[in-house]
Amino acid sequence: MLTFDITVFTMLGRRGTGLTGSGPDGGIPLMGKEEPLNRKELVDAIQKHTLVARTDVDKVLGSLIQHTQVAVKKGDRVSLVGFGTFERQDRKARTARNPRSGAPVKVKATKVPRFRAGQGFKDVVAGKATAPKLSPVKSTAKATTARAASTAKATVSRATTSKASTAKASTARASTAKASTSKAASRNSAPKSTAKAASSRGKAKSGKKK
């Protein structure tokens, strides 16, 4: 997990009682707030602001955290312009002193994550720059609704056209079948008519001979 020095970076919540009192760890107080903004509240806020599905927001946030952890562990810097830079700080082994007894204590070499706020972030916090507006994007919602309605209409139109084409094709096939049947019947009746005519001519000839 990435950890931050409270004097450098703190995600602040909406509740608080002012500047008095100490922070949650007994250190520097949170500036006007009591409780940090947790992940659930942050995801909800982003979802309302972007109108992206909450599950997608949570996945993207989780992926951002994981990729930052992996990059910083390798010693790479993750720089977000206007926000800040995440990096690894290597601390050498040293000898410290116990504050109570004054006895020397050996501290092993270690690696810790560090966050340095960008200038844009610093200016917003200091009031030198205007803070971003976090109102919901209404136009995006309307555009999404319009696109959904257009898609639905197009689907219905395609379905209607397809049904009409199918009906026309069925009618055409039925007409062709009837025409073929009629022609076949005509061909079958032609020999019969010819035979009857021949029989009549034969009888007529026989009557004349008598």
Side-chain angles (χ1 to χ4, degrees):
M1 294 291 292
L2 289 174
T3 56
F4 306 99
D5 187 339
I6 195 172
T7 61
V8 178
F9 179 76
T10 303
M11 295 295 290
L12 300 179
R14 295 184 297 273
R15 299 177 293 277
T17 56
L19 300 178
T20 59
S22 60
D25 58 353
I28 297 176
L30 302 181
M31 300 299 288
K33 308 295 177 182
E34 290 266 338
E35 299 180 11
L37 185 69
N38 60 37
R39 175 165 174 161
K40 180 182 180 301
E41 292 173 336
L42 180 60
V43 168
D44 290 340
I46 294 175
Q47 190 278 325
K48 291 178 181 178
H49 179 234
T50 61
L51 300 180
V52 177
R54 189 184 185 286
T55 53
D56 293 336
V57 173
D58 190 64
K59 287 179 182 178
V60 172
L61 179 60
S63 180
L64 172 63
I65 294 173
Q66 293 173 2
H67 279 78
T68 302
Q69 289 175 338
V70 172
V72 173
K73 176 180 173 58
K74 293 190 299 183
D76 297 335
R77 290 183 179 182
V78 178
S79 181
L80 303 176
V81 179
F83 182 64
T85 302
F86 298 90
E87 60 187 350
R88 190 183 75 188
Q89 184 177 16
D90 298 337
R91 293 180 179 175
K92 298 180 180 180
R94 60 189 178 87
T95 301
R97 290 188 176 277
N98 188 311
R100 292 184 180 179
S101 63
V105 178
K106 291 184 178 181
V107 180
K108 296 181 179 180
T110 185
K111 300 173 183 178
V112 296
R114 180 187 177 192
F115 175 80
R116 292 187 294 107
Q119 189 59 48
F121 193 1
K122 291 179 180 179
D123 290 343
V124 169
V125 174
K128 297 179 180 179
T130 304
K133 294 182 179 179
L134 301 179
S135 56
V137 186
K138 296 181 180 179
S139 58
T140 303
K142 292 181 180 178
T144 302
T145 304
R147 285 196 296 270
S150 299
T151 303
K153 289 181 180 179
T155 302
V156 173
S157 177
R158 286 196 296 271
T160 304
T161 303
S162 178
K163 289 180 180 179
S165 300
T166 303
K168 289 181 180 179
S170 300
T171 303
R173 285 195 296 270
S175 299
T176 304
K178 288 181 179 179
S180 299
T181 303
S182 177
K183 289 180 180 179
S186 299
R187 286 196 297 269
N188 291 335
S189 61
K192 293 180 180 180
S193 300
T194 304
K196 289 181 179 180
S199 177
S200 299
R201 286 196 296 271
K203 289 180 179 180
K205 288 180 180 179
S206 298
K208 288 180 181 179
K209 288 179 182 180
K210 293 178 180 181

